[in-house]
Amino acid sequence: MVKSILNQKLREEIIGRVRQLKPETEPAWGTMSAFQMVKHCRLFEAWIHGIGEWDYTISRSTPMQAAEALAEITADDTPLILFAPSSEILVVSEPEGDFESERNLWIDHLERYENYNNPAFIHDFFGKMSPEQIGILAYKHTDHHLRQFGV
């Protein structure tokens, strides 16, 4: 079974790692500050859950590209590649802000996976995804950024 944020035990482990983040932590790769990463991840979860206003009609891929990429990413527990591209709507430009508030909102959004339900969600590259695929992608995305910051 591939790791998924929908799994309660794995979700609790991820949330524990999120709680270990510190605003002064430097990334092992990339240029984001800890604040930017936390806000980026909080926005990612809000996007998936449909918290706020999101346009789910954007697509940056062909159906074939999307299907092949999604199948590859969700097939096993291989971590996301370093420097994987991010959706423009999830890029955080301000280098500093309220780290604690963003982290707490992120944790709240992660906890919402206990009852995940957003049938309107369409990924801007992968397109329509099953809840299982969303759970795997959400786990990998969060794990990717936590590893980036050493937790």
Side-chain angles (χ1 to χ4, degrees):
M1 180 64 75
V2 181
K3 292 179 180 176
S4 169
I5 202 76
L6 301 177
N7 176 290
Q8 181 180 351
K9 184 176 179 180
L10 292 174
R11 189 172 52 253
E12 289 171 359
E13 172 194 301
I14 285 285
I15 290 170
R17 290 168 63 194
V18 170
R19 292 184 195 285
Q20 294 175 37
L21 288 167
K22 296 182 179 9
E24 64 274 5
T25 304
E26 295 290 324
W29 68 84
T31 59
M32 283 196 289
S33 68
F35 167 77
Q36 287 172 313
M37 182 275 287
V38 168
K39 185 170 182 179
H40 163 78
C41 289
R42 193 267 302 165
L43 288 171
F44 178 85
E45 306 307 341
W47 180 47
I48 290 177
H49 287 291
I51 300 166
E53 299 289 322
W54 300 99
D55 180 358
Y56 291 131
T57 62
I58 301 167
S59 179
R60 298 184 296 162
S61 64
T62 66
M64 183 65 83
Q65 283 178 311
E68 289 174 1
L70 184 58
E72 184 177 327
I73 286 174
T74 59
D76 59 32
D77 287 326
T78 302
L80 295 179
I81 61 170
L82 304 187
F83 304 104
S86 180
S87 174
E88 292 176 13
I89 62 175
L90 302 175
V91 172
V92 177
S93 57
E94 66 268 23
E96 296 180 16
D98 189 339
F99 181 88
E100 294 299 323
S101 291
E102 287 295 336
R103 184 174 60 180
N104 289 338
L105 281 171
W106 183 18
I107 290 168
D108 174 72
H109 295 358
L110 289 167
E111 289 172 340
R112 290 175 182 234
Y113 282 109
E114 182 173 353
N115 299 301
Y116 176 73
N117 183 22
N118 182 12
F121 178 71
I122 299 173
H123 192 280
D124 68 339
F125 183 85
F126 299 121
K128 195 73 175 157
M129 299 171 64
S130 70
E132 292 77 20
Q133 291 168 323
I134 291 168
I136 293 167
L137 180 64
Y139 179 89
K140 285 188 174 199
H141 181 262
T142 301
D143 177 67
H144 171 82
H145 286 296
L146 292 174
R147 286 185 299 103
Q148 180 184 17
F149 282 82
V151 294

